[in-house]
Amino acid sequence: MIEIKNLRAGYGRPDAFIPAVDDISLTIGDNEIIGIAGESGSGKSTLLRTIYGDFTGGLKLRDGSVTGHFKDPETGRPLVCESSTFQKLWWDVISYVPQGSMSVLNPIMKIEKQVTDGLPAREKRGSRQELRSRLASFLAGFGLPETVLDSYPHQLSGGMRQRVLVAIAAFVNPQLILADEPTTALDVVVQKRILLMLVEIQRRLKNTLVLVSHDLGVHYQITDRIAIAYKGKIVEVGPTDEVFSNPQHDYTKALIAALPRIGQPRQETARGAVGVIV
Ligand code: ADP
Ligand code: MG
């Protein structure tokens, strides 16, 4: 579906260029959930935005390529193009769930208008009422009441806003969904609900989901494959189970070793620290 070859991308002018993605090659398949993990600043969001083809805020593709192999949503014919032209596929063939629901949704616009404004023309062929009822039943499928459509973003909880963003991204039956830290800053129960929602969408649409998260637990729960980003490079990629059970790169080993394991005794040092505080 997506072929990334020797990609270099970053920010700034040619004379003062800050690289953020440094020679990444990666193939993203049809019908898979692939995770991109790695610590903050490793280039995950930059890579995702480059795949999305969102060259704003000073982001530049310096070298290499991102090629998409899609199907034309009208004719079903193969559609092959480069990320510099992906913008015409946004909210249609490619959807994006950006980081931070509050900064993304317009605070002074009701959800219904925000959703319908962004839809491709073919979704808006019927009457407004007909579109609204399709939207309402789609949201209901994810446990979101119709009243969400009449709400302003601040009237919804953080978890609900995030679920709305995911639902909006899926409504157009995209072939590719890119989600940047969709569960970060949410409590674990809400996280779980959003992850299940993403899995359900991917199974239903049989499309491709690229999930960025610094949280390895998130990847462990839902991804088929995982790519580990470190200092702008992908240092390891493989089936999630294999990477977790047999990490190859030292950075991956360190990440996995740092994960807490429920059921194992807590470390004496941690208890000691609590003892000092008490
Ligand atoms: P991650 O998502 O893994 O935290 P990012 O892709 O956001 O990483 O950032 C990678 C690098 O690019 C960091 O060094 C960051 O400071 C830099 N960077 C990110 N966004 C911008 C920007 N808009 N302008 C300049 N530098 C940026
Ligand atoms: Mg990020």
Side-chain angles (χ1 to χ4, degrees):
M1 159 136 317
I2 298 284
E3 227 176 318
I4 302 167
K5 276 192 193 149
N6 303 107
L7 183 70
R8 285 180 208 274
Y11 301 89
R13 302 182 309 267
D15 57 324
F17 186 74
I18 310 159
V21 166
D22 182 13
D23 196 15
I24 285 181
S25 295
L26 182 68
T27 301
I28 297 172
D30 292 340
N31 193 10
E32 76 164 340
I33 302 183
I34 180 164
I36 300 170
E39 66 195 24
S40 175
S42 55
K44 305 182 299 295
S45 295
T46 306
L47 174 60
L48 205 69
R49 283 183 53 211
T50 311
I51 297 173
Y52 189 46
D54 175 16
F55 298 101
T56 57
L59 175 61
K60 288 196 171 58
L61 195 160
R62 192 98 198 269
D63 211 353
S65 60
V66 178
T67 311
H69 299 262
F70 306 108
K71 279 198 187 83
D72 187 307
E74 300 278 353
T75 63
R77 288 200 201 107
L79 180 65
V80 181
C81 48
E82 296 294 308
S83 65
S84 56
T85 67
F86 282 2
Q87 189 168 358
K88 62 177 192 289
L89 309 176
W90 291 357
W91 298 112
D92 193 352
V93 174
I94 311 172
S95 283
Y96 181 57
V97 183
Q99 200 165 351
S101 61
M102 206 52 207
S103 55
V104 180
L105 292 167
N106 183 340
I108 56 165
M109 201 190 271
K110 288 183 180 169
I111 300 291
E112 181 179 3
K113 185 158 168 51
Q114 307 208 26
V115 180
T116 49
D117 278 4
L119 291 175
R122 82 188 133 82
E123 295 286 349
K124 295 199 252 193
R125 276 172 198 154
S127 68
R128 182 178 165 265
Q129 194 48 47
E130 189 262 338
L131 176 58
R132 184 187 162 97
S133 60
R134 271 202 297 133
L135 265 173
S137 61
F138 190 78
L139 292 176
F142 298 108
L144 293 163
E146 185 169 351
T147 49
V148 159
L149 292 172
D150 303 312
S151 306
Y152 290 100
H154 73 270
Q155 294 171 314
L156 306 173
S157 68
M160 223 179 207
R161 278 199 299 272
Q162 193 63 25
R163 281 156 69 203
V164 167
L165 279 183
V166 172
I168 296 172
F171 183 67
V172 293
N173 296 347
Q175 294 160 40
L176 174 66
I177 298 181
L178 307 165
D180 197 352
E181 305 275 4
T183 60
T184 301
L186 298 170
D187 69 72
V188 285
V189 176
V190 180
Q191 271 198 17
K192 182 100 190 169
R193 192 179 283 167
I194 289 171
L195 291 177
L196 289 175
M197 185 173 169
L198 285 165
V199 171
E200 196 195 316
I201 288 167
Q202 194 274 334
R203 294 221 174 107
R204 207 195 289 169
L205 299 181
K206 295 193 172 34
N207 65 1
T208 299
L209 169 64
V210 185
L211 175 73
V212 160
S213 177
H214 68 280
D215 183 346
L216 279 186
V218 163
H219 294 286
Y220 188 72
Q221 289 179 70
I222 72 163
T223 58
D224 304 314
R225 285 198 306 144
I226 187 171
I228 310 289
Y230 180 59
K231 294 188 176 168
K233 294 184 184 296
I234 298 289
V235 294
E236 181 160 0
V237 57
T240 305
D241 288 342
E242 276 175 33
V243 172
F244 272 81
S245 61
N246 189 19
Q248 298 297 309
H249 193 277
D250 283 347
Y251 177 68
T252 318
K253 287 179 190 167
L255 274 184
I256 289 168
L259 281 176
R261 281 179 177 69
I262 291 170
Q264 287 191 344
R266 289 183 292 160
Q267 288 187 0
E268 290 303 321
T269 47
R271 270 191 225 156
V274 174
V276 170
I277 295 162
V278 173

